[in-house]
Amino acid sequence: MPSGTDYIPLRKALKDYLREQGIALSDLLSLMDDEKKGLMEALRKRVHLTESQSRMLEKALTSRDLNLLLFVVQAFYGLNHSGLYKGFIIEPTREEVMWGNKATFEGCKMILRALQVSTNGLDD
């Protein structure tokens, strides 16, 4: 049993979660919104974003990457107040990613890097 000081990389937690649910990432993302306008609206509800940051995300990321970010923010950080996955602390940690009930722009960049998604074009 983990001691509570053991960490699990976000990418590994996501892969394990999807495998357990019997869902392929491509299938999950194909069910989500393809329209960037709708995606950005959904992200703004879950992420503290300035107009400039919102434009950067929309320009730098594909719809697929935005959907992945949206899913991970919601599933692993927004709804998961413990910040744990199977007793392991998800890395990056909830404290690093969230401010109140929303993720930060910096937190989003940490999530994207943890998922090995390019953050080129996201420097403010």
Side-chain angles (χ1 to χ4, degrees):
M1 190 73 193
S3 65
T5 56
D6 294 324
Y7 291 84
I8 184 168
L10 176 59
R11 186 175 163 90
K12 185 175 179 182
L14 175 62
K15 283 183 176 182
D16 184 72
Y17 174 81
L18 293 172
R19 185 180 42 74
E20 277 197 353
Q21 300 302 313
I23 302 169
L25 182 60
S26 57
D27 292 342
L28 172 72
L29 297 177
S30 72
L31 295 174
M32 297 176 77
D33 197 347
D34 275 341
E35 290 295 316
K36 281 193 174 183
K37 184 178 179 185
L39 283 167
M40 293 312 300
E41 194 173 303
L43 266 175
R44 280 190 289 274
K45 290 178 183 175
R46 292 162 183 85
V47 181
H48 295 284
L49 291 173
T50 65
E51 279 302 313
S52 171
Q53 291 167 338
S54 185
R55 282 192 303 274
M56 276 191 272
L57 282 171
E58 191 172 357
K59 185 177 177 189
L61 300 177
T62 64
S63 293
R64 183 186 185 283
D65 292 339
L66 289 169
N67 273 321
L68 178 60
L69 177 61
L70 180 60
F71 175 76
V72 168
V73 165
Q74 186 70 6
F76 288 92
Y77 296 97
L79 297 174
N80 179 10
H81 295 280
S82 71
L84 301 176
Y85 180 76
K86 295 186 173 181
F88 293 94
I89 299 169
I90 300 168
E91 198 167 47
T93 66
R94 190 172 197 284
E95 292 76 27
E96 292 173 310
V97 170
M98 302 292 286
W99 183 51
N101 290 327
K102 288 184 168 187
T104 65
F105 182 66
E106 286 302 316
C108 288
K109 292 196 301 188
M110 293 172 86
I111 288 170
L112 291 166
R113 284 192 289 270
L115 296 173
Q116 298 177 356
V117 175
S118 173
T119 57
N120 289 343
L122 295 180
D123 298 316
D124 4 57

